[in-house]
Amino acid sequence: MIKPDGVQRGLIGKIINRFEERGYKLVALKTVAPSKEMAERHYADLKNKPFFPSLVEYMSNGAAPVVAMVWEGSDVIRQGRAMLGATSPLDAASGTLRGQYCVSIGRNAIHGSDSFESAEKEIGMWFPQAGELISWTPAIWNWVMSNN
Ligand SMILES: Nc1ncnc2c1ncn2[C@@H]1O[C@H](COP(=O)(O)OP(=O)(O)OP(=O)(O)O)[C@@H](O)[C@H]1O
């Protein structure tokens, strides 16, 4: 998910491009203006953290939407997190998205699911309707993936 600061800063294309160029497949994409309830649900595991109220406010105040995406491909959850870089951009390796574009933990531009279980939960939350995920085969797929 591209968070409101990433959207405001015009980073949507750059972030999508990084995943496309790596060889991942985009199977769902939409802008969403999260309600307070959606933001609370998305970050429910952080509800006891001191920054939780400001995180929820920032995600849901309507200053910018988020871009929810589902990417598919080999090891995409772990590789996607690596491409994002450390949660705190000051710890993020240069060359990662956060290491290249961000300097503040509260404005780290992107969220990535951290496990298969959280990906399943988050996909269900942001893409609840049947048919929102599209199964398709890029024409270049055989040049990205080998069946050997
Ligand atoms: N100390 C903090 N101060 C302010 N915001 C924070 C802090 N720690 C985390 N956050 C915010 O909460 C989000 C979720 O924190 P979490 O620990 O789950 O990290 P993450 O899994 O790398 O991030 P995300 O879930 O957004 O991908 C962070 O991306 C960041 O925006």
Side-chain angles (χ1 to χ4, degrees):
M1 169 190 290
I2 304 171
K3 301 198 221 181
D5 55 309
V7 174
Q8 277 286 357
R9 294 181 51 199
L11 298 176
I12 297 171
K14 290 188 168 76
I15 292 166
I16 289 178
N17 189 241
R18 194 77 72 91
F19 280 77
E20 281 188 318
E21 285 188 337
R22 180 82 190 267
Y24 289 122
K25 188 203 306 187
L26 185 61
V27 297
L29 168 79
K30 67 178 168 189
T31 49
V32 183
S35 63
K36 183 166 181 278
E37 291 66 33
M38 278 296 276
E40 285 173 345
R41 216 173 124 205
H42 179 80
Y43 281 125
D45 56 325
L46 301 174
K47 64 175 182 299
N48 296 321
K49 300 282 186 188
F51 56 82
F52 182 73
S54 63
L55 176 62
V56 167
E57 201 279 330
Y58 148 71
M59 290 289 291
S60 63
N61 69 14
V66 301
V67 178
M69 300 177 285
V70 180
W71 290 93
E72 186 181 299
S74 287
D75 200 24
V76 67
I77 295 172
R78 192 167 65 101
Q79 297 300 323
R81 295 277 295 182
M83 288 160 67
L84 265 52
T87 304
S88 171
L90 300 182
D91 295 326
S94 61
T96 64
L97 286 160
R98 286 167 173 161
Q100 181 166 354
Y101 295 119
C102 307
V103 289
S104 169
I105 194 166
R107 298 290 181 269
N108 60 4
I110 325 147
H111 160 77
S113 303
D114 61 6
S115 65
F116 183 85
E117 292 70 29
S118 64
E120 265 198 322
K121 187 185 116 209
E122 290 165 6
I123 290 169
M125 193 184 306
W126 295 100
F127 296 94
Q129 315 282 352
E132 287 194 271
L133 272 58
I134 310 291
S135 176
W136 64 292
T137 304
I140 59 160
W141 203 237
N142 287 339
W143 299 102
V144 174
M145 294 296 296
S146 157
N147 291 322
N148 298 334

